[in-house]
Amino acid sequence: MTKINSTPFKDQKPGTSGLRKKVKHFQQAHYLENFVQSVFNIFDSCKNKTLVLGGDGRFYNKEAIQIILRMAAANEFKKIIVGQNGLLSTPAASLLIRKYQTDGGIILSASHNPGGPDADFGIKFNSANGGPAPEKITEVIYKNSLEISHYFSCESQAVDISKIDKIKLQNTEIEIIDSVIEYADLMESIFDFPIIRSSIKTGSLHLCFDAMHAVTGPYAKEIFVKRLYATEDSVINKQPSEDFNGGHPDPNLAHAEQLLEVMQSNHAPDLGAASDGDGDRNMILGRNFFVTPSDSLAIMTANAHYIQEYKSGPCGVARSMPTSRAVDIVAEKLGIDCYETPTGWKYFGNLLDANKITFCGEESFGSGADHIREKDGIWAVLFWLNLLAVKKKSVKEIVHNHWKTFGRHYYERHDFEAIDSNLANNVMETLNKKLANLANQTFDSYVVNNAYNFSYIDPVDNHTTHNQGIVIEFGTIARVIFRLSGTGTEGATIRVYLEQYEHDTELQHQEVSTYLAPLAKIAMEISEIITITGRSNASVIT
Ligand code: G16
């Protein structure tokens, strides 16, 4: 074991989902090591501790795994469970932490951000419940990173993680396991594979899944092709690549172009779906039809009883604050609780552990349930496949019927990316200053009835989180929300969320941007984004 002296980096505060920076930033001497030691230092002693380790396979994944294994051995961990070739989707890592009751796990991913030597890398710690470490732990990690003076490592040749095996590195056992099988088994235990398989075999259900050259390729092949008999070409972009084949592994209408083309063609399959870099996000499409993530959560909740595993209905649901309120209406009708949390999957962990919720979801293309403690892209696709196989209706019909019953929440997110941080902070400060005087002000025909900076008190442990975004409500019908992203790696990203409820079935089929245009104009006016940042348009609209 070698003790290596180091000095703190001041920028290792975990964001919405761990530490995300440019690869080159991580490659600075001692940078990754400092953060990893700061994680290890949350344990009084690492002896008798076991961790899961894996990542989405992006550039620097392989090197980082070797660095972490050497450090784990030097810190005298009992055991590290590593995905073969260093690959684990985020949901699979969460499952393994829970299944093997480890003390947590380290996941290497920058999620939906691009990969490659000039792109992004990330690392996050998940706790023993399988979920992203809650704030009280990330705060300790950050504090450790500011006080660090040394880390431990050891001399060793690269550990061969290409084969299923058990190896000793000093006194630490390294177990290399299949990255896919146990996750696929879990999915098979939740969903009705025979009914999905039979619909696929008889040709009444066709799927196109876009793995976006990211980690889900091998999972999709095992589950959709091998176990559910979908044709080989039902999974596209299935070969994981270190730079996602030059693409942006973000499953949305802006980045999943090939899938979109398939779903708009004359022979489009019944369900189109995509996942992101690390497999926790999902996008659901019907033939020439997009399902917003917020609607997807509401529809899952309303239709849970069609899926055997959830036949008695969810015990409760949760959504992040900027996610549309579509699920709230369903929850009210079902008579179950609906929680509103800050953005970040970590805030769902306590609610899931306390059995207060079964499903949770976010506008940022994330949905999941109580089977693990991460959002789960393939789980969501299987949910929809199972639903289509049972209901024998198209995606579009299911969504339209949902709107007819519950009303439609028109929804759009406008991202202003890579803004100078000072200017972005200026926008948020301007909004904060205006909050006190916004109530009762009229913009067009919209009257503000409430304006606030969102705070959250965790109902399980009473931990309070402040400053989670500015919300401006126009009655119960419409909202605009502003917050700074916590996942970007370049300057700051301002997210503007627009939402408006439409109960009139005659008005539920308008073009989204047109319908929301008046609200978008008001959001620009109140926030002064254009004047302050000099940007007249959002970089991406989803
Ligand atoms: C992460 C978090 C999500 C969050 C998303 C966007 O997802 O786990 O909870 O909604 O980032 O966060 P922000 O708006 O702060 O950029 P992922 O898939 O990137 O890990």
Side-chain angles (χ1 to χ4, degrees), residues 16 20 111 281 344-345 362 364 375 483 485-487 495:
T16 309
R20 288 188 194 165
S111 186
R281 296 185 174 205
W345 206 260
E362 296 188 275
S364 54
K375 56 186 184 271
R483 59 177 284 281
S485 158
T487 57
R495 302 206 195 284

Side-chain angles (χ1 to χ4, degrees), residues 10-168:
K10 298 229 161 62
D11 64 351
Q12 298 198 324
K13 188 178 170 67
T16 309
S17 184
L19 187 67
R20 288 188 194 165
K21 303 276 176 205
K22 294 282 173 211
V23 167
K24 293 211 160 60
H25 205 82
F26 269 103
Q27 287 172 324
Q28 295 173 78
H30 311 306
Y31 192 83
L32 175 67
E33 291 86 343
N34 269 18
F35 188 77
V36 172
Q37 190 66 52
S38 302
V39 171
F40 290 171
N41 288 350
I42 66 173
F43 300 116
D44 291 337
S45 155
C46 300
K47 286 183 184 163
N48 293 321
K49 296 278 187 290
T50 299
L51 292 181
V52 166
L53 174 63
D56 63 12
R58 67 179 56 228
F59 187 84
Y60 200 51
N61 194 67
K62 284 198 290 256
E63 292 82 349
I65 296 257
Q66 295 296 335
I67 291 171
I68 296 168
L69 288 178
R70 286 196 297 274
M71 288 183 65
N75 278 275
E76 303 182 318
F77 272 88
K78 180 175 170 211
K79 182 171 172 179
I80 306 292
I81 300 173
V82 194
Q84 191 178 7
N85 292 316
L87 290 183
L88 280 179
S89 74
T90 291
S94 180
L95 159 68
L96 295 171
I97 294 169
R98 295 169 68 74
K99 183 169 174 185
Y100 295 108
Q101 299 184 344
T102 72
D103 300 285
I106 292 183
I107 302 177
L108 304 172
S109 171
S111 186
H112 55 289
N113 295 12
D118 297 317
D120 297 348
F121 188 73
I123 176 168
K124 70 171 177 171
F125 176 68
N126 278 30
S127 317
N129 74 346
E135 240 171 32
K136 55 185 178 220
I137 296 183
T138 56
E139 277 159 13
V140 176
I141 296 172
Y142 179 48
K143 188 166 169 280
N144 291 346
S145 79
L146 294 174
E147 292 167 356
I148 199 160
S149 59
H150 59 268
Y151 61 87
F152 297 107
S153 187
C154 63
E155 294 290 321
S156 138
Q157 298 214 317
V159 178
D160 180 4
I161 52 170
S162 66
K163 290 189 284 292
I164 310 294
D165 204 352
K166 281 185 184 163
I167 298 169
K168 274 265 175 192

